Amino acid sequence: MKHHINFKVNGDDYSLAVDPWRTLNEVIREDLNLTGTKLGCGTGDCGACTVLLDGRSVSSCLTLAVSVNGKSVMTVEGLAPSGEELHPIQEALIQTGGIQCGFCTAGMEMSALNLLNQTLSPSETEIKSALSGNLCRCTGYNQIVEAISMAADKMRDNAAEKEEQ
Amino acid sequence: MESRFKIVGQDVPRTDAEVKARGKALYTDDMKLPGMLHGQILRSPLAHARIKHIDTRRALGLPGVKAVITGQDTPKIKYGNWRLFPDTQDEYPLAVDKVRFIGDEVAAVAAIDRDTAEEAMELIEVEYEELPAVFDVDLSIKPGAPVIHDYCPTNISVNRKIKYGDVEKGFAESDYVREDIFNTHSVSHAYLEPCSALAQVDLDGRITLWTSTQVPYIVQCLLASTLNMRENDIRVIKPFVGGGFGGKMELRAWEFCAAFLARQTGCPVKFTLTREEEFITGRRRHPMKIYSKVGFRKDGTLVAKDLKIQLDGGAYNAMGPTATFLCGNFGAMLYRYPNYRFHGEHIYTNKPPASAMRGFGAPQSLYATEIQMNMAAEELGIDPIDLRLKNAQVSGDEIPDVATISSSGFIDCIKAVAEMSDWKEKRKSLPAGRGIGIGCYSFISGGVFNWFNTQYPFSAAEVRVFSDGTAHLLTMASDIGQGSDTVLKQILAEELGLKMGDIRMTSADTSMTPQADLGSWGSRVTLMAGNAVIDAAKKIKEPLFGAVSARFNLNVIHDIECVNGRVQSKSRPDYGLTFGEAVAMVQKANRGEPLVARGSYTPRGKGLVTPAFGFGAQVAEVDVDKETGLVEVKHMWTAHDCGTVINPRSVEGQLAGSIQMGLGYALSEQFVMDGGKTLNTNFVDYKMPTASDMPPSELFHVETYEPEGPMGAKEAGEGLASPTAPAISDAVYHATGYRCMDLPITPEKILRNLKKNK
Ligand code: FES
Ligand code: FES
C-alpha cells in the first residue's frame, strides 16, 4: 500500500504516493530528479546523501520517505537555485580546490551548512568534527576544511554588513 | 623568477568545479532513459566451484522480469587488458564453467525496477559442485594445490624477471648484507562513487554505453570483442566519475551485461553496484610477499639488491601482469643499485581479484625498500637521510635495458624534507613515545609498454579553432576527478595564448574524440595527453603564423607568437591580428575549410617502463600511546619533484588525498578475510581516515624541468601514495622500537612488541 506524503523540497511543495520502504534518497533522486544528492553507501556511513530535514542534517539513505510527511527538505540544488549566485560554501570550495571527483561534494556542503547554521565562527576542530560523517577519498579534506572556514568568514561579513544597513 | 607561462603554473580553478558544487554534474547512476530497465548480478557464494546447472525459469516467470542471462547465453569470449598476450586473458563476463571467488558473476537480470530485479535473484537456482579452494600464495604454488585455471596448472600466471650487473658478485663484494621478508596487505580503492553502467541500443543495433570508467577506449574494444561486435559499433561515454584510483580500469561484468541485456531486450539497461558489492567483489591492492636482500659497502654505498616478490592476484589476472613488472621496476628505483635482480610471480588464489591501485606496485615494493634502508642505516651507523643522499638517483641515471631517468630532483627533495622537519634534531632528541620517520618514492608518468596492443597513438588530441576567437579541444583522455580536463585546457590555453573561458572541451567519448587514449592510470594523462595537445596546438599555430606573416609582409626571420588572444610578431607586436582574425584569414585562404589539427603522443625509445619519473620524500612525526598502542600522526612534511607544476592547487589536493590514502594503508584500512570471504563490507568496518584523522602537512615543490613532459611537467599525485606508510612506520619504530614488517601497523602489534621488549 502506498502512502501519501506532502512535503517541501527546496521551497517547492510536493505531494506523492510512495511505498513505505522507499528512502528519501530514492524519492528525491528518482521521483524528483534531484540527482545532486548522491548515494555512496546506503548504510548511513559515508555522508554523500546528506540533506537538511527541517534545518538539520540527515542521511537521506536512512530516512524513510514516509517520515518526511509535513516536513521541509533542502538538497544541494537548493543552495543556489539555478543561475543564481553561488552559496559562499560552494564558492569557497571552488576556490580552494576542495572539489575533485565531486561525489562527496553535495554531502559536504550540506554538512557544512548544518554547521554554519549553528555558528559562523567554527574552530578547525569543530569543522572537522562536523565532517566526521562525510567521507572523501580524493581531497584528504584539507581544502574542504579550509573552504568551510573561508565560507564562515564570508557569511559573517555578509551578516555584519546586513546589520549595518 | 618570472614564470615563462601565463596560465600553466597558476591556481586556475577547476573548470568542472561549479557544476559539481551545484550538484548538477551527472554521474552514470544519475541518468535515466525512457523505458530503462534495472540490472542486477547474481554472484557466486562459493570460492571455487563447478557450475553444474542453472535454472532461470522461475526468475523469468516473475512479472516485471524482462530477461535473465547466464554465461551460456553469451558468446563465451574471454577478455583481459593484456591483449598482446591472449593467454593472460582469463576472464569471462559471466562465469561459463567455474566460479573462482566469492562474488564471481554467475547470472544477470534485467527488470522493470530494482525491487523486482532483486526478487528475481532469489529465484535463480544454481547447482554447484564445490571444489577445494586456496587462499594463500604459499599453498597455491605447492604441488597438488587446487588448479584455479586449467591453462595454468602451477597457479603462477606471470613470471617477470629484471636483471643487470652480477648480484652474487655484488654481495661477495659487500661489507654488509641483510635479508628481510615483508608482507603487505590488501586495501580497497574505496572511490566514493560505486560503479555504474547504462547501455542503450540504436535501431541499427549499435550500442552506446555510459559508464563510470577510467578507460573508455579499453572498455570499447573489450566490450566489442566479448560481444563479437565491431569496435566502432560500440560507443563508450564517460560521464563524470566519482574517483577510480585504479579500480575502474578494465572491462567489467556489469558493462558487458548492460550492453548484452540492452541488445536482448531492446530497452536501455542500467546496473549500479551497492557499496557492499564493491567491498565484496571489488578490485583491490595486491597483497605482496617481498623477499629483499641488499648489500652495502661500509661507507653506505649500495652494491647489490636481490628482490623476489609474490603477488596474491586473487582469481583473475586483471592488471596483475603490469603490477608484477612494475613492483620489480620500482624495486630498482630511488637508489643506484649497480647489481640488481628481480623475480616476480603473480599467483592465483580463490579471492577477489587484485588489480591496479594508486601506486600500481610501488606502495608495496617501496615499503620494503624504505624500511630496509632504515634498518641498514641503523646497523651501518649512518643517518637514514645521509644514507639516502649517498645513493640517490640523479638525472641521467640509467636502469640498464629498462629506463633512463631524464630528470630527478630526488636529492633536493630529501634535503628539503630533512630541513622542513628539523630531522637531525628530532631524530636525536624526541622523547620516548614520539618518533619521526622517512619514506621516499619514485613514480612513472605513464607506461610505455603496449600490452593493450593498440593500433593507435597512446594519446591523441584534436583542436578546432574558430574566427570568434574560441577553440574546441577534443580528447579521449578521462578526467575521473583528478582534474585532468582542467590541466589539458590550461596547456592548450597556454599554447594558443587564449583564456580558459575561450576553450570548450569534449572528452572521453569514443565516437566523438580522436582515437585513442589508453585512459587514466599510471599517471599518464598530463604527460601523454598533454603532449598530444601541444602537438595539435603547434599544427594549428603554423598556418596562423603564416597568415600573420603574409598579412604584414614580415621578413621570414620574424618570430611569431600566440599571446593574450593575439597572433603577432614577437619583436613588433603591432604586426599582428586577434586570434579570431588570424583564424578567419586562414579559412579565407583555404576557401572556407575549417582550421582543425590533430596531435598525438606515443612514447618511443623510452625503454620498458615510462618516459619520465617523478620523485619525492616525506617525513612523518607520530605520537604513540603506550597504553593503547594508538598512533597519532602529528605532522607530515613532503617535498616532491613533479617537474613543472601546472596547477598548484590540484597538486596540493593530490598530495592531501594521497596522505589520506597512505594513512589508511599504514594504520587503519584492511580487508578482513575469512578464507575467500570478505568480512568487512561497509564503511564502519572498513576504516577510512576522516577529516579529524588528517595531520597538518606542509608541501615543498622542487623545481625541475622534464624534457619529455609537456612544458616540463611529469607525474604528480600517484607516487605520493607510497611514502606515507613507510614514513609512519619508521616513525613508529623511532617512537617505540616496533619495526613493522607486516602491514598494517595496528595497536595490537605495537602493544605485543612493547610487552616483549619490557
Ligand atoms: S549514502 Fe547515505 S550515508 Fe552513504
Ligand atoms: S572529491 Fe572525490 S570523494 Fe570527495
Side-chain angles (χ1 to χ4, degrees), chain B residues 21 127 135 171 226 298 391 682:
Chain B
E127 199 186 320
F135 307 113
F171 287 129
T226 48
K298 257 201 248 39
N391 293 291
N682 57 55

Side-chain angles (χ1 to χ4, degrees), chain B residues 523-590:
Chain B
S523 294
R524 59 186 299 286
V525 182
T526 296
L527 188 137
M528 298 202 183
N531 277 333
V533 169
I534 291 178
D535 186 32
K538 292 219 149 80
K539 292 178 188 162
I540 287 283
K541 290 201 290 197
E542 273 313 306
L544 293 178
F545 291 176
V548 166
S549 178
R551 167 72 178 72
F552 294 96
N553 196 19
L554 297 179
N555 189 317
V556 289
I557 62 169
H558 268 261
D559 224 348
I560 303 175
E561 62 182 354
C562 285
V563 62
N564 297 332
R566 289 176 58 78
V567 187
Q568 62 193 26
S569 158
K570 245 187 191 165
S571 50
R572 288 286 310 269
D574 52 324
Y575 290 160
L577 300 168
T578 67
F579 188 85
E581 286 166 350
V583 173
M585 293 269 297
V586 174
Q587 261 190 285
K588 287 239 161 62
N590 288 326

